Amino acid sequence: MTAQHPEDDDREQMERERQQAVNELVAGAAEAGRRAAGWVRELAGRQSDAGHRVVLERAADAVERASGREVVPGGDGELDEELRYDLGASVVTGSMVADEMPELSTGERIAVVAVCALAAAMPGTLLNDLGRELPALATTMEASTEAGIAAGQR
């Protein structure tokens, strides 16, 4: 058995601290995504058209997934086609077979689009500056969710 050098211990400690910091960033983004997804599910629940409910429920699931499981250090930072679709414009326009648009206020529409765009951007932070970008996106997602909630209370 060989004795480990103090430099190796220091490197290992630094790596553990770096990994803990990354884990905390990812957990913060996932929490912002869960909260935003919960709000989008509330929007879905109040839709009288079943098609609009499905579109918004799928968007909520995509927000949660894109801000959580898809932000994987060492991953490719890309969203699959289905997630990109579920986070797209249909969150505002709703089901293609419905006669009317989803029952959302203008402020809610703006906020739900922001939430979806932010969720779609989160996995890409892995390719850039995770420590700088992911917290900014998570904070903005939280603010967008709060704005959407407030818009619905008016």
Side-chain angles (χ1 to χ4, degrees), residues 33 36-37 39-40 63 87 110-120 140-141 144-145:
W39 169 66
V40 175
V63 165
L87 294 170
I110 293 167
V112 78
V113 167
V115 162
C116 289
L118 292 160
T140 306
M141 180 180 280
S144 298
T145 302

Side-chain angles (χ1 to χ4, degrees), residues 29-89:
E31 180 57 32
R34 278 189 295 279
R35 187 157 187 279
W39 169 66
V40 175
R41 285 186 186 96
E42 289 175 18
L43 296 176
R46 71 169 209 232
Q47 299 302 308
S48 58
D49 183 278
H52 292 328
R53 277 194 304 277
V54 169
V55 168
L56 286 166
E57 287 167 358
R58 287 179 58 98
D61 291 345
V63 165
E64 195 164 8
R65 184 173 159 198
S67 62
R69 293 190 313 247
E70 296 296 313
V71 184
V72 180
D76 65 4
E78 296 289 325
L79 287 179
D80 66 35
E81 188 175 334
E82 183 179 351
L83 276 180
R84 281 194 309 271
Y85 179 82
D86 289 342
L87 294 170

Side-chain angles (χ1 to χ4, degrees), residues 47-49 51-52 92-104 109:
Q47 299 302 308
S48 58
D49 183 278
H52 292 328
V92 172
T93 59
S95 172
M96 294 184 330
V97 297
D99 293 330
E100 301 291 324
M101 299 288 269
E103 298 161 24
L104 302 171
R109 282 188 194 107

